[in-house]
């Protein structure tokens, strides 16, 4: 396969996997200055909130959807504020939600965050009314307190008192609780971040199941969720390789494995937000290694993955992806492969071999994985 043809094939697969993951769309509300942009940046990545004007959600709407990367959309209210333009804002949202429900899930709004500065000491009737109206429109609402100081595991008493006031109104909010956060460290006071993973987990629970994969890819703080998604992808690719290789056809393993490997690498690239050019280079190296049967050729492959490079067990684990596929294909044909001569696919022998190769437990499972929740619980 020529380099140009390979890049074109990988581009098609990369785009296809991006479309399959979809997009998670978040609406975030609250008064000016409560720290909405800081919160978005903290959970979804540096400066994702510093975007230009997106596209109208529906024709003629004042609500815009800023598309950030491939898997995140943030609703922009374009100057409409709760308390000042509540009626107009609700009317716009009602129209948007009704019209977008006829569209694919990636075009719909999935979750709303309502943000209040935790030290404001007051929560207005207009805010409570807005939350009730949002919930009545069918949009799950997660209640977030921002900039809440915490010391020795105890939240500031003013924030706790305000939370009691909010909860006393019986609002239709996710989990019937308020999520306390502090999104950006304060060097002067020494206050560190907190509450971000709890908020993300609440968002996973509130989001429709079909948007789960996009949220995993979009968020930047739960690396375990990304690793589990990647492991599931690897397991599916190994199973596909084993199935394909069990069919007696007169071609080399590489002919069978390359398309499977391209799909696997493209999806992992999307999960981790790896730019196309870098992901394509990684796939070129891995596919060359698979074609030539070489193992050393991929030992530096994942040095280019953000957070996985730099040597050691972290990048070596990823560098064995093509070996898992080749071993899966060999086992399906009854051919002993490497350290798996006596191991069934995904069995203890395979895991012992993975351990000997320096593969972390997070990616040792090479068989099909069961679905997992945002915190890693088995379904």
């Amino acid at each position: 396969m020529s380099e140009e043809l390979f890049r074109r094939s990988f581009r098609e697969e990369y785009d296809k996997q991006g479309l399959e993951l979809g997009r998670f769309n978040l609406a975030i509300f609250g008064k000016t200055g409560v720290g909405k942009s800081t919160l978005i940046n903290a959970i979804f990545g540096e400066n994702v909130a510093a975007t230009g004007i997106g596209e109208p959600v529906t024709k003629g709407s004042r609500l815009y959807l800023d598309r950030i990367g491939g898997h995140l959309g943030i609703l922009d209210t374009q100057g409409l504020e709760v308390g000042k333009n509540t009626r107009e804002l609700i009317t716009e949202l009602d129209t948007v939600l009704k019209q977008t429900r006829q569209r694919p899930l990636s075009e719909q709004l999935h979750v709303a965050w309502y943000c209040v500065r935790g030290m404001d000491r007051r929560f207005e009737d207009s805010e409570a009314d807005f939350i009730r109206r949002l919930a009545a429109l069918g949009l799950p609402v997660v209640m977030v307190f921002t900039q809440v100081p915490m010391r020795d595991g105890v939240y500031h008493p003013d924030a706790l008192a305000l939370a009691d006031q909010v909860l006393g109104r019986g609002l239709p909010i996710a989990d019937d609780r308020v999520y306390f956060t502090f999104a950006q460290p304060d060097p002067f006071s020494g206050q560190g971040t907190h509450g971000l993973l709890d908020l993300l987990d609440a968002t996973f629970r509130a989001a429709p199941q079909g948007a789960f994969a996009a949220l995993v890819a979009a968020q930047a703080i739960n690396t375990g969720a990304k690793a589990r998604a990647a492991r599931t992808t690897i397991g599916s690719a190994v199973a596909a390789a084993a199935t394909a290789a069990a069919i007696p056809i007169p071609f080399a393993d590489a002919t069978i494995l390359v398309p499977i490997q391209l799909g696997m690498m493209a999806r992992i690239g999307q999960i981790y937000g790896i730019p196309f050019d870098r992901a394509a280079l990684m796939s070129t190296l891995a596919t060359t290694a698979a074609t030539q049967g070489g193992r050393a050729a991929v030992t530096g492959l994942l040095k280019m993955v953000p957070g996985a490079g730099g040597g050691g067990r972290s990048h070596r684990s990823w560098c064995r992806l093509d070996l898992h596929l080749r071993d899966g294909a060999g086992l399906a044909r009854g051919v002993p492969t490497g350290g798996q001569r006596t191991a069934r696919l995904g069995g203890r022998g395979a895991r012992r071999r993975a351990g000997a190769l320096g593969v972390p437990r997070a990616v040792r499972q090479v068989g099909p994985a069961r679905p997992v929740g945002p915190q890693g619980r088995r379904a």
Side-chain angles (χ1 to χ4, degrees):
M1 182 183 295
S2 68
E3 181 178 349
E4 182 180 351
L5 178 58
F6 177 87
R7 285 182 64 86
R8 186 163 62 247
S9 299
F10 186 71
R11 166 58 79 181
E12 292 174 359
E13 191 62 41
Y14 189 82
D15 292 343
K16 172 187 171 185
Q17 294 297 332
L19 289 173
E20 287 184 3
L21 283 174
R23 188 176 66 243
F24 172 73
N25 297 318
L26 174 69
I28 181 166
F29 303 102
K31 294 183 176 179
T32 302
V34 300
K36 299 188 292 291
S37 294
T38 302
L39 190 62
I40 293 172
N41 290 340
I43 291 181
F44 294 104
E46 194 69 24
N47 294 325
V48 296
T51 62
I53 296 176
E55 299 177 0
V57 180
T58 59
K59 186 176 180 180
S61 175
R62 289 184 61 183
L63 302 182
Y64 282 67
L65 191 68
D66 290 332
R67 291 173 171 81
I68 301 165
H71 307 294
L72 177 65
I74 301 293
L75 187 73
D76 186 347
T77 58
Q78 291 292 294
L80 297 177
E81 296 184 14
V82 177
K84 184 185 296 184
N85 312 101
T86 299
R87 181 174 297 179
E88 185 178 355
L89 187 52
I90 287 294
T91 299
E92 291 271 6
L93 283 168
D94 184 37
T95 301
V96 164
L97 289 170
K98 286 179 179 177
Q99 292 184 11
T100 57
R101 283 188 184 122
Q102 309 303 317
R103 299 180 183 178
L105 186 62
S106 62
E107 298 296 324
Q108 302 175 27
L109 289 177
H110 302 132
V111 178
W113 290 350
Y114 192 85
C115 300
V116 175
R117 202 174 79 90
M119 303 300 289
D120 276 353
R121 300 187 180 182
R122 60 180 301 182
F123 181 72
E124 299 180 359
D125 292 342
S126 60
E127 295 179 283
D129 180 59
F130 182 75
I131 290 173
R132 290 192 178 95
R133 287 170 178 260
L134 275 182
L137 294 177
L139 191 62
V141 181
V142 180
M143 189 74 186
V144 187
F145 278 12
T146 64
Q147 305 174 45
V148 177
M150 182 177 67
R151 185 171 61 192
D152 299 327
V154 179
Y155 298 115
H156 195 286
D158 287 350
L160 292 171
L162 183 60
D164 288 340
Q165 181 189 142
V166 169
L167 294 175
R169 292 174 177 262
L171 297 174
I173 54 178
D175 304 325
D176 294 318
R177 61 165 286 187
V178 173
Y179 285 90
F180 294 164
T181 66
F182 202 95
Q184 190 173 54
D186 183 355
F188 182 78
S189 66
Q191 176 69 64
T193 62
H194 65 75
L196 301 180
L197 279 171
D198 287 342
L199 173 57
L200 179 61
D201 284 345
T203 306
F204 272 116
R205 290 191 294 272
Q209 186 175 4
F212 181 89
L215 181 52
V216 169
Q219 59 85 27
I221 60 174
N222 190 338
T223 56
K226 289 183 182 291
R228 288 188 290 274
R231 189 179 63 193
T232 299
T233 299
I234 296 166
S236 298
V238 170
T243 301
I247 302 172
I249 55 177
F251 295 105
D253 281 353
T255 305
I256 302 170
L257 298 183
V258 166
I260 298 171
Q261 188 161 11
L262 286 182
M264 178 184 72
M265 297 294 287
R267 192 170 186 91
I268 291 174
Q270 291 282 359
I271 290 169
Y272 280 92
I274 302 170
F276 169 76
D277 287 340
R278 181 176 293 179
L281 177 58
M282 292 162 52
S283 295
T284 300
L285 295 174
T287 303
T288 299
T291 303
Q292 296 176 353
R295 299 189 173 194
V298 293
T299 56
L301 185 59
L302 263 292
K303 289 181 180 179
M304 295 177 286
V305 177
R313 295 178 62 176
S314 178
H315 88 266
R316 284 201 304 271
S317 65
W318 292 94
C319 297
R320 307 295 174 175
L321 299 185
D322 74 308
L323 308 187
H324 291 324
L325 294 187
R326 295 179 64 79
D327 285 352
L331 284 166
R333 292 178 175 173
V335 179
T337 55
Q340 292 181 314
R341 290 186 179 90
T342 59
R344 63 180 177 84
L345 186 64
R348 293 181 180 177
R351 288 192 289 272
R352 282 197 298 270
R353 174 174 176 256
L357 290 171
V359 179
R361 290 183 181 274
V363 293
R364 283 185 198 174
Q365 177 178 329
V366 296
R370 288 175 289 167
V372 294
Q375 295 178 313
R377 293 186 292 271
R378 296 292 179 187

